[in-house]
Amino acid sequence: MSGFDWIVPVILTVITAATPLVFAAIGELVTEKSGVLNLGVEGMMLVGAVTGFVTATVTGNYFLAVALAAVAGGFMAFLFGILTLSLMANQVATGLALTLFGVGLSALMGQEFVGEPVASLSKLNIPGISDIPIIGPIVFGQDGLVYLSFVMVALVSWFLYKTKAGLILRAVGDSHDAAHSIGYSVIGIRYMAVIFGGAMSGIGGAYLSLAYTPMWAENMTAGRGWIALALIVFATWKPGLVLVGAYMFGGITILQLHAQAAGLDLPSQVLSMLPYLATVLVLVLISKDQSRIRKHAPACIGKIFHPAA
Amino acid sequence: MKLKHISTLLGAAAVAASMLTGASASAEDKVGFVYVGPVGDHGWTYRHDLGRQAVQNALGDKVKTTFVESVKEGPDAERVIRQMAADGHKLIFTTSFGYMNPTLKVAKQFPGVKFEHATGYKRMDNVSTYSARFYEGRYVVGKIAGKMTKSNVIGYVGSFPIPEVVRGINATILAARSVNPDVVVKVAWVSTWYDPGKEGDAAKALIDQGADIILQHTDSPAPLQVAESRGVWAVGQASDMSKFAPKAQLTGIIDDWDGYYVARTKAILDGSWKSEDTWGGFNTGLVQLAPYNKAIPADVIQLAEDTRKGIEDGSINPFAGPFNKQDGSVGAAAGSALDDGTLLGMNWYVEGVEGQLPK
């Protein structure tokens, strides 16, 4: 391929690879900011993926498919909430159980739909504008969920740092006892944050089964839920950096595939390692500045709140 | 750190799951299957599970088949296999190359249990190996690809650079170059057997680099979907994937384990089971081809069928010389052909493959 023709397809591929990560990570970020660690992202994404796929296949309505995927993810998170917030089960163990449950449940739900293709989520093609070289297809040629992912990052950022409700949510995550003592419902706020996180994971999953690879196959998330969890640490709990991290992760993965196809003489194992190496490198760099992590990491993360305490 | 713990826990959960399935079994002979992917992958594991179902259907209440899916290669596999053996399974099929050493380790501890390892090369008195000559299918596909390509670039989505996969790439380019000397193969390794997203991304990268036919040695139909949406050709893997790419799928290489699994299980029941090595191709039905795409011209279909029949009756050997290795040295001289030992250890590209083989 000559010149820079390859840039546009690469960027388009990076966008589709990063979008499910953005959804899952931005939702889980809100959950964690409220002080709850939900390791069930992978399971919630899978249930969202199968719900979205089944709905789209049966009804042909993609709006409904995405909405129900969000509801399904939110419902999974609600179950997690009952166990960890009301019944005070250990969050780490419950999150892992939620993933295992989600893997099994989604396989069961999708049993009849394995091997059924579905039309991909339609792209927003504005005649004339989408045809502008380079910028056209990248900025104006995406499906609705890509735009929504950016909107969600902006909304979450605005909510957490510019609104009173966001301040309260962060307070609950940093010191549940203090928030409780001045009259905020710690459990109620955490329920909302957990359910929001589940709904976002559900949409991330739906993006996989409706746009990224429009099909249902068991376990099709292939570990993206775990990557989303890692991205939050990578981003030191800052929404903007979650976006950067997701695109960096997607970008390096795609670039290494292109490097291989172009015949670059580097061991493919090294190339496959690159995204993880980059993550480690960034973690080392930001860990040098402890105050930064302390400022943004929720202090009460993973701790069970007992109102009597 | 976090991820490592989690995979350990998941492995433990898989063991627990196998204990549960084992506990409910009754007096029938139990036959276990260990799968690397989910049974719903529509590829490799899906076909093995069809084989398991064929055993259950053929032998009814004489056997009880169990399986554990998505078992990671490595220590997790060893735990799952050991648990199956301890549960009283008479015969255990371990269906991925990476299960080779775990299978042998467990087989040493359970001499009374018979094991069958797919695509490996190490045997013991109670361990058989079996595989299919998928490269025969790929050789036929290579002929079609060489005729159908316009860009003269074939894209190949590779999983891991093991002999099985390298052999497939080499068979493809040898066949393609025999009908079209200008063809090259570009390979993108994804370091996974099953990740639809990544497999699709690799296919996109290859198409963006000029490939107009996508072959794969990974297990999901995602590369075919990409080919369909980009308007290039593709070849199904392990099962007929034409549903995902009705226009793009030229044909597909189908693994059919049904007959083998039934025969081996019968051998356990009548006591005739012996440790052996099976490596069958078109001649045994282990390798089959999906229906040809209607868009393929009649003369190309004729060429493909002649090639398939020739391989089946032994008159065509895909790895017959003369051909060169990628570095220009002789791969096989005229009048000779590679033996099975060389094929099983193949760790070099033949001429026409671009890029370097990862070591």
Side-chain angles (χ1 to χ4, degrees):
Chain A
M1 225 173 226
S2 62
F4 294 98
D5 296 354
W6 56 276
I7 288 180
V8 173
V10 168
I11 293 175
L12 290 175
T13 314
V14 170
I15 292 171
T16 50
T19 300
L21 296 175
V22 173
F23 275 114
I26 202 70
E28 177 69 12
L29 179 120
V30 172
T31 302
E32 293 192 7
K33 273 287 187 189
S34 80
V36 181
L37 179 67
N38 183 356
L39 295 180
V41 177
E42 181 90 352
M44 298 189 295
M45 282 180 86
L46 277 169
V47 170
V50 74
T51 307
F53 185 84
V54 170
T55 311
T57 312
V58 173
T59 67
N61 185 334
Y62 284 73
F63 184 78
L64 188 67
V66 174
L68 284 185
V71 170
F75 181 73
M76 290 283 286
F78 177 64
L79 293 180
F80 174 84
I82 293 176
L83 291 166
T84 57
L85 300 175
S86 298
L87 302 175
M88 297 181 193
N90 177 288
Q91 290 178 6
V92 171
T94 310
L96 290 174
L98 190 71
T99 284
L100 293 172
F101 175 61
V103 170
L105 179 68
S106 60
L108 184 71
M109 287 168 71
Q111 219 176 16
E112 305 281 307
F113 294 86
V114 170
E116 293 296 325
V118 70
S120 178
L121 206 60
S122 58
K123 307 256 190 276
L124 172 89
N125 269 322
I126 310 167
I129 298 179
S130 296
D131 299 334
I132 302 170
I134 302 179
I135 296 167
I138 293 171
V139 180
F140 301 104
Q142 304 297 331
D143 52 70
L145 286 181
V146 171
Y147 301 109
L148 183 65
S149 71
F150 281 91
V151 170
M152 290 317 297
V153 171
L155 268 180
V156 163
S157 190
W158 168 78
F159 171 81
L160 286 176
Y161 296 103
K162 301 282 181 209
T163 69
K164 193 182 170 200
L167 183 66
I168 296 166
L169 184 128
R170 286 189 289 138
V172 166
D174 276 329
S175 173
H176 45 215
D177 291 328
H180 177 68
S181 67
I182 53 173
Y184 290 115
S185 165
V186 173
I187 301 291
I189 290 164
R190 284 187 175 169
Y191 259 109
M192 285 190 277
V194 166
I195 291 171
F196 174 79
M200 286 296 110
S201 287
I203 297 178
Y207 188 80
L208 281 176
S209 66
L210 295 177
Y212 193 13
T213 52
M215 64 173 171
W216 165 249
E218 277 179 45
N219 240 338
M220 65 184 295
T221 47
R224 286 181 180 73
W226 302 112
I227 294 169
L229 280 162
L231 278 177
I232 297 165
V233 183
F234 165 82
T236 56
W237 289 269
K238 284 193 271 190
L241 282 181
V242 163
L243 192 69
V244 172
Y247 273 80
M248 193 195 79
F249 195 91
I252 296 177
T253 309
I254 304 306
L255 277 179
Q256 65 98 351
L257 289 170
H258 266 269
Q260 287 191 53
L264 192 78
D265 286 346
L266 252 178
S268 74
Q269 290 90 338
V270 170
L271 295 169
S272 302
M273 260 163 34
L274 276 180
Y276 304 93
L277 279 180
T279 306
V280 170
L281 187 71
V282 172
L283 278 175
V284 168
L285 288 177
I286 54 180
S287 299
K288 287 175 80 173
D289 185 3
Q290 271 298 323
S291 67
R292 233 175 117 134
I293 294 182
R294 232 175 288 140
K295 208 164 103 195
H296 293 281
C300 280
I301 190 156
K303 288 185 190 154
I304 287 173
F305 173 66
H306 206 289
Chain B
M1 264 292 268
K2 199 184 268 177
L3 276 170
K4 207 174 164 194
H5 279 302
I6 288 156
S7 78
T8 313
L9 273 167
L10 289 175
V15 174
S18 75
M19 278 194 281
L20 286 176
T21 52
S24 59
S26 56
E28 310 111 334
D29 280 344
K30 284 197 287 185
V31 179
F33 292 78
V34 184
Y35 299 142
V36 71
V39 294
D41 68 359
H42 217 73
W44 178 257
T45 294
Y46 169 78
R47 286 301 315 195
H48 282 284
D49 197 55
L50 288 185
R52 180 192 65 80
Q53 292 170 27
V55 170
Q56 196 69 71
N57 291 337
L59 301 169
D61 49 12
K62 290 201 199 99
V63 293
K64 176 171 174 56
T65 60
T66 63
F67 67 88
V68 182
E69 57 184 332
S70 299
V71 178
K72 276 206 159 63
E73 297 177 336
D76 286 350
E78 194 182 317
R79 279 192 288 273
V80 171
I81 299 165
R82 180 174 296 118
Q83 189 61 49
M84 272 197 174
D87 268 356
H89 285 78
K90 289 266 166 57
L91 177 64
I92 298 172
F93 293 97
T94 57
T95 64
S96 189
F97 180 77
Y99 297 158
M100 182 164 68
N101 292 328
T103 303
L104 289 161
K105 241 174 134 176
V106 178
K108 269 186 205 130
Q109 296 161 353
F110 292 88
V113 180
K114 312 295 187 210
F115 297 83
E116 298 243 356
H117 178 239
T119 71
Y121 54 84
K122 294 183 189 164
R123 278 170 293 286
M124 285 171 35
D125 282 348
N126 61 333
V127 181
S128 281
T129 49
Y130 64 103
S131 184
R133 296 176 185 266
F134 303 115
Y135 69 86
E136 294 183 353
R138 293 186 192 280
Y139 192 76
V140 177
V141 165
K143 294 264 186 189
I144 301 173
K147 285 281 189 189
M148 299 296 284
T149 181
K150 291 207 170 63
S151 66
N152 287 338
V153 179
I154 299 173
Y156 210 108
V157 181
S159 49
F160 297 95
I162 56 172
E164 165 70 34
V165 181
V166 175
R167 201 158 57 228
I169 294 169
N170 286 343
T172 306
I173 188 67
L174 284 174
R177 286 213 156 181
S178 73
V179 296
N180 179 352
D182 299 327
V183 180
V184 296
V185 168
K186 289 186 176 185
V187 188
W189 298 97
V190 292
S191 304
T192 174
W193 286 110
Y194 180 73
D195 178 343
K198 209 169 175 191
E199 293 170 53
D201 288 343
K204 285 178 197 166
L206 290 162
I207 295 167
D208 291 337
Q209 303 271 348
D212 65 353
I213 297 182
I214 295 296
L215 271 59
Q216 66 183 96
H217 205 133
T218 51
D219 295 345
S220 90
L224 281 99
Q225 277 189 321
V226 169
E228 181 84 2
S229 70
R230 296 281 188 99
V232 304
W233 302 113
V235 175
Q237 165 75 3
S239 66
D240 185 353
M241 293 178 167
S242 55
K243 261 190 182 170
F244 292 92
K247 286 205 285 284
Q249 180 176 296
L250 288 167
T251 179
I253 296 160
I254 295 179
D255 317 349
D256 189 340
W257 309 102
D258 302 13
Y260 181 79
Y261 282 162
V262 173
R264 298 302 281 174
T265 307
K266 276 186 178 154
I268 286 285
L269 295 179
D270 63 25
S272 66
W273 192 95
K274 275 199 303 288
S275 170
E276 50 191 72
D277 175 45
T278 303
W279 202 21
F282 284 131
N283 56 348
T284 59
L286 284 178
V287 180
Q288 295 171 16
L289 290 175
Y292 297 115
N293 192 317
K294 287 196 180 65
I296 306 177
D299 60 322
V300 178
I301 289 184
Q302 190 59 46
L303 171 71
E305 274 303 287
D306 290 347
T307 309
R308 187 183 64 77
K309 284 183 193 134
I311 293 172
E312 195 172 338
D313 66 27
S315 60
I316 293 179
N317 183 335
F319 287 103
F323 64 84
N324 286 342
K325 295 186 182 181
Q326 189 190 40
D327 62 13
S329 64
V330 175
S336 74
L338 300 184
D339 58 25
D340 281 0
T342 310
L343 291 182
L344 288 168
M346 192 171 252
N347 60 355
W348 41 267
Y349 284 144
V350 302
E351 225 167 41
V353 184
E354 292 198 341
Q356 268 191 331
L357 179 62
K359 296 287 184 207

